[in-house]
Amino acid sequence: MHIFGVIIWLGGLLFESAISVPIAQAEGEPADSLANKIHTRFVAFVWMSVWTIAVTGIIMMLLNPQFHWFTFQTQWQRLLGFKQLTFILMLFYAFGYARMLSYLNAPSSNDGTDENTTLVRQRLSQFRKINIALGITALLLAAGM
């Protein structure tokens, strides 16, 4: 379940970055509206994945005999600490991503012509890329464990 949650989260972000956003940019305004709907729908899957990853990660961590509270002496414990930090950063960026999407879907930003909307779209792309990098980092840390 832990890996399944990571696949949904990271796979969805990669789908948005590699397929959904480039198509929306190439097709113009009608596709842009559809892309916003896709992104909004994906946020629900992100939160489902977050809870799945958190619960299964905590269970796996507590059941592992190498786990000791706030001890980072072995390589496994240090990797776990970095993985936990990475997860917290991913949560921060996912929360920011969801807030920016809610701004884009607000009635005041539907025309898409103001500077704030352009800035929010750029930040969405930036947050998505940061989250992808953090997700790959978390996978590499997990592989190292």
Side-chain angles (χ1 to χ4, degrees):
M1 289 300 293
H2 191 72
I3 293 172
F4 185 67
V6 172
I7 289 170
I8 289 174
W9 192 350
L10 193 56
L13 289 170
L14 288 168
F15 171 79
E16 285 183 337
S17 291
I19 297 169
S20 177
V21 172
I23 289 173
Q25 290 172 346
E27 295 297 322
E29 187 62 34
D32 199 31
S33 174
L34 180 62
N36 278 346
K37 290 178 183 176
I38 291 171
H39 300 321
T40 303
R41 179 76 175 185
F42 176 63
V43 168
F45 284 96
V46 167
W47 294 122
M48 178 189 67
S49 298
V50 165
W51 285 110
T52 302
I53 292 167
V55 169
T56 57
I58 290 169
I59 290 170
M60 289 189 312
M61 176 183 71
L62 293 174
L63 293 178
N64 194 308
Q66 296 182 45
F67 175 72
H68 300 285
W69 292 102
F70 305 108
T71 304
F72 303 104
Q73 295 174 349
T74 67
Q75 179 181 356
W76 184 89
Q77 292 168 338
R78 286 189 292 271
L79 289 173
L80 177 65
F82 284 124
K83 187 176 171 195
Q84 291 169 340
L85 177 64
T86 303
F87 181 75
I88 291 169
L89 288 171
M90 287 176 73
L91 277 177
F92 171 77
Y93 284 108
F95 183 73
Y97 187 85
R99 298 241 339 176
M100 286 185 277
L101 274 176
S102 66
Y103 171 80
L104 283 180
N105 292 329
S108 62
S109 67
N110 282 342
D111 60 358
T113 58
D114 66 343
E115 285 185 29
N116 286 340
T117 303
T118 304
L119 179 63
V120 168
R121 289 183 199 281
Q122 290 171 349
R123 291 284 187 225
L124 276 172
S125 177
Q126 185 181 36
F127 275 34
R128 190 179 314 110
K129 289 174 186 174
I130 290 170
N131 232 343
I132 289 170
L134 289 169
I136 291 171
T137 302
L139 286 174
L140 292 174
L141 289 168
M145 292 172 69

